[in-house]
Coordinates of all heavy atoms in Angstrom, one line a residue:
V1 N 5.0 -0.1 -8.2 CA 5.6 -1.3 -7.7 C 4.5 -1.9 -6.6 O 4.2 -1.2 -5.7 CB 6.9 -1.0 -7.1 CG1 7.4 -2.3 -6.4 CG2 7.9 -0.5 -8.1
E2 N 4.3 -3.2 -6.7 CA 3.4 -3.8 -5.8 C 4.1 -5.0 -5.1 O 4.8 -5.8 -5.6 CB 2.2 -4.4 -6.5 CG 1.2 -5.1 -5.6 CD 0.0 -5.6 -6.3 OE1 -0.1 -5.5 -7.6 OE2 -1.0 -6.2 -5.7
K3 N 4.0 -4.9 -3.7 CA 4.6 -6.0 -2.9 C 3.5 -6.7 -2.1 O 2.7 -6.0 -1.5 CB 5.7 -5.4 -2.0 CG 6.9 -4.8 -2.7 CD 7.9 -4.2 -1.6 CE 9.0 -3.6 -2.3 NZ 10.1 -3.1 -1.4
V4 N 3.5 -8.0 -2.1 CA 2.6 -8.7 -1.4 C 3.3 -9.7 -0.4 O 4.2 -10.4 -0.8 CB 1.7 -9.6 -2.4 CG1 0.6 -10.4 -1.5 CG2 1.0 -8.7 -3.3
W5 N 2.9 -9.6 0.9 CA 3.5 -10.4 1.9 C 2.7 -11.7 2.1 O 1.5 -11.8 1.7 CB 3.6 -9.6 3.2 CG 4.8 -8.7 3.3 CD1 5.9 -9.0 3.9 CD2 4.9 -7.4 2.7 NE1 6.8 -7.9 3.8 CE2 6.1 -7.0 3.0 CE3 4.0 -6.6 2.0 CZ2 6.6 -5.7 2.6 CZ3 4.5 -5.4 1.6 CH2 5.8 -4.9 1.9
K6 N 3.3 -12.7 2.7 CA 2.7 -14.0 3.0 C 1.4 -13.8 3.8 O 0.4 -14.6 3.6 CB 3.6 -14.9 3.6 CG 4.6 -15.6 2.7 CD 5.3 -16.8 3.4 CE 6.1 -17.6 2.3 NZ 6.8 -18.7 2.9
N7 N 1.4 -12.9 4.8 CA 0.2 -12.7 5.6 C -1.0 -12.0 4.8 O -2.0 -11.7 5.4 CB 0.5 -11.9 6.8 CG 0.9 -10.4 6.5 OD1 0.9 -10.0 5.4 ND2 1.2 -9.7 7.6
G8 N -0.8 -11.6 3.6 CA -1.8 -11.0 2.8 C -1.7 -9.5 2.7 O -2.4 -8.9 1.9
C9 N -0.9 -8.9 3.5 CA -0.7 -7.4 3.4 C -0.1 -7.0 2.1 O 0.8 -7.7 1.5 CB 0.2 -7.0 4.6 SG 0.5 -5.3 4.7
Q10 N -0.6 -5.9 1.5 CA 0.0 -5.4 0.2 C 0.5 -3.9 0.3 O -0.2 -3.1 1.1 CB -1.1 -5.4 -0.9 CG -1.7 -6.8 -1.2 CD -2.9 -6.6 -2.2 OE1 -2.7 -6.0 -3.2 NE2 -4.0 -7.1 -1.8
L11 N 1.5 -3.7 -0.4 CA 2.0 -2.3 -0.4 C 2.1 -1.9 -1.9 O 2.7 -2.7 -2.7 CB 3.3 -2.1 0.2 CG 3.4 -1.8 1.7 CD1 4.8 -1.7 2.2 CD2 2.7 -0.4 2.0
I12 N 1.6 -0.8 -2.3 CA 1.6 -0.4 -3.7 C 2.3 1.0 -3.7 O 1.9 1.9 -3.0 CB 0.3 -0.3 -4.4 CG1 -0.4 -1.7 -4.3 CG2 0.4 0.1 -5.8 CD1 -1.9 -1.6 -4.6
F13 N 3.4 1.1 -4.4 CA 4.2 2.4 -4.5 C 4.0 3.0 -5.8 O 4.1 2.3 -6.9 CB 5.7 2.2 -4.3 CG 6.0 1.6 -2.9 CD1 6.1 0.2 -2.7 CD2 6.2 2.4 -1.8 CE1 6.4 -0.3 -1.5 CE2 6.5 1.9 -0.6 CZ 6.6 0.5 -0.4
F14 N 3.6 4.3 -5.9 CA 3.3 4.9 -7.1 C 4.4 5.9 -7.4 O 5.2 6.4 -6.5 CB 2.0 5.8 -7.0 CG 0.8 4.9 -6.8 CD1 0.4 4.6 -5.5 CD2 0.1 4.4 -7.8 CE1 -0.8 3.8 -5.2 CE2 -1.0 3.6 -7.6 CZ -1.4 3.3 -6.4
P15 N 4.7 6.1 -8.7 CA 5.8 7.0 -9.1 C 5.9 8.4 -8.5 O 6.9 9.0 -8.3 CB 5.7 7.1 -10.6 CG 4.8 6.0 -11.0 CD 3.9 5.7 -9.9
N16 N 4.7 9.0 -8.2 CA 4.7 10.3 -7.7 C 5.0 10.4 -6.1 O 5.0 11.5 -5.6 CB 3.3 11.0 -7.9 CG 2.2 10.3 -7.1 OD1 2.4 9.4 -6.4 ND2 1.0 10.9 -7.3
G17 N 5.3 9.2 -5.5 CA 5.6 9.2 -4.1 C 4.5 8.8 -3.2 O 4.6 8.6 -2.0
T18 N 3.3 8.7 -3.7 CA 2.2 8.2 -3.0 C 2.3 6.6 -2.8 O 2.8 6.0 -3.7 CB 0.8 8.5 -3.7 OG1 0.7 9.9 -3.8 CG2 -0.4 7.9 -3.0
W19 N 1.8 6.1 -1.7 CA 1.8 4.7 -1.5 C 0.6 4.3 -0.8 O 0.0 5.0 0.0 CB 3.1 4.2 -0.8 CG 3.4 4.8 0.5 CD1 4.1 5.9 0.7 CD2 3.2 4.2 1.8 NE1 4.3 6.1 2.1 CE2 3.7 5.1 2.7 CE3 2.6 3.0 2.2 CZ2 3.6 4.9 4.1 CZ3 2.5 2.8 3.6 CH2 3.0 3.7 4.5
K20 N 0.2 3.0 -1.1 CA -1.1 2.5 -0.5 C -0.8 1.2 0.1 O -0.1 0.3 -0.4 CB -2.1 2.3 -1.7 CG -3.4 1.7 -1.3 CD -4.2 1.6 -2.6 CE -5.7 1.1 -2.3 NZ -6.5 1.1 -3.5
K21 N -1.3 1.0 1.4 CA -1.2 -0.2 2.2 C -2.5 -0.8 2.4 O -3.4 -0.2 2.9 CB -0.4 0.1 3.5 CG -0.3 -1.2 4.3 CD 0.3 -0.8 5.7 CE 0.4 -2.1 6.6 NZ 1.0 -1.8 7.9
I22 N -2.6 -2.1 2.0 CA -3.9 -2.8 2.2 C -3.5 -3.8 3.3 O -2.6 -4.7 3.1 CB -4.4 -3.5 0.9 CG1 -4.6 -2.4 -0.1 CG2 -5.7 -4.3 1.2 CD1 -4.9 -2.9 -1.5
G23 N -4.3 -3.8 4.4 CA -4.0 -4.7 5.5 C -4.3 -6.1 5.2 O -5.0 -6.5 4.2
S24 N -3.7 -7.1 6.0 CA -4.0 -8.5 5.7 C -5.4 -8.9 5.8 O -5.8 -9.9 5.2 CB -3.1 -9.3 6.8 OG -3.5 -9.0 8.0
D25 N -6.3 -8.1 6.4 CA -7.7 -8.3 6.4 C -8.4 -8.0 5.1 O -9.5 -8.3 4.9 CB -8.4 -7.6 7.5 CG -8.3 -6.1 7.5 OD1 -7.7 -5.6 6.5 OD2 -8.8 -5.4 8.4
G26 N -7.7 -7.2 4.3 CA -8.2 -6.9 2.9 C -9.1 -5.7 3.0 O -9.6 -5.2 2.0
K27 N -9.4 -5.2 4.2 CA -10.4 -4.1 4.4 C -9.8 -2.8 5.0 O -10.4 -1.7 4.8 CB -11.5 -4.6 5.4 CG -12.4 -5.8 4.8 CD -13.4 -6.3 5.8 CE -14.1 -7.4 5.3 NZ -15.1 -7.9 6.2
T28 N -8.7 -2.9 5.6 CA -8.0 -1.8 6.2 C -7.1 -1.2 5.2 O -6.1 -1.9 4.7 CB -7.3 -2.1 7.5 OG1 -8.2 -2.7 8.4 CG2 -6.7 -0.8 8.1
V29 N -7.3 0.0 4.7 CA -6.6 0.7 3.7 C -6.0 2.0 4.1 O -6.7 2.8 4.7 CB -7.4 0.9 2.4 CG1 -6.5 1.5 1.3 CG2 -8.0 -0.5 1.9
T30 N -4.7 2.2 3.9 CA -4.0 3.4 4.3 C -3.3 3.9 3.0 O -2.5 3.2 2.4 CB -3.0 3.3 5.4 OG1 -3.7 2.7 6.5 CG2 -2.4 4.6 5.8
I31 N -3.7 5.2 2.7 CA -3.0 5.8 1.5 C -2.2 7.0 2.1 O -2.8 7.9 2.6 CB -4.0 6.3 0.4 CG1 -4.9 5.1 0.0 CG2 -3.3 6.9 -0.7 CD1 -6.1 5.5 -0.8
T32 N -0.9 7.0 1.8 CA -0.1 8.2 2.2 C 0.3 8.9 0.9 O 1.0 8.3 0.0 CB 1.2 7.6 2.9 OG1 0.7 6.9 4.1 CG2 2.0 8.8 3.4
F33 N -0.2 10.1 0.8 CA 0.0 10.9 -0.5 C 1.4 11.6 -0.4 O 1.9 11.8 0.6 CB -1.1 11.9 -0.6 CG -2.5 11.2 -0.8 CD1 -3.3 11.1 0.3 CD2 -2.9 10.9 -2.0 CE1 -4.6 10.4 0.1 CE2 -4.2 10.3 -2.2 CZ -4.9 10.1 -1.1
F34 N 1.8 11.9 -1.6 CA 3.1 12.6 -1.7 C 3.3 13.9 -1.0 O 4.3 14.3 -0.6 CB 3.4 12.8 -3.3 CG 2.5 13.8 -3.9 CD1 2.7 15.1 -4.0 CD2 1.3 13.3 -4.5 CE1 1.9 16.0 -4.6 CE2 0.4 14.2 -5.1 CZ 0.7 15.5 -5.1
N35 N 2.1 14.6 -0.7 CA 2.1 15.8 0.0 C 2.1 15.7 1.5 O 2.0 16.6 2.2 CB 1.0 16.7 -0.5 CG -0.4 16.2 -0.2 OD1 -0.5 15.1 0.3 ND2 -1.4 17.0 -0.5

């Protein structure tokens, strides 16, 4: 599942529980793994 906010921030949720956040600058990326 991918969610995009008006400010450009993106959140991507993966089925295994991992999720990825891409900041509004498009360069700051945080990945939180299922473990």
Side-chain angles (χ1 to χ4, degrees):
V1 176
E2 182 179 2
K3 295 180 181 184
V4 179
W5 278 261
K6 279 191 173 180
N7 68 0
C9 184
Q10 298 176 52
L11 271 178
I12 303 165
F13 298 92
F14 297 90
N16 68 355
T18 296
W19 55 278
K20 179 178 185 177
K21 178 183 178 184
I22 302 169
S24 57
D25 62 4
K27 296 178 181 177
T28 304
V29 178
T30 303
I31 303 167
T32 303
F33 296 93
F34 63 91
N35 64 357

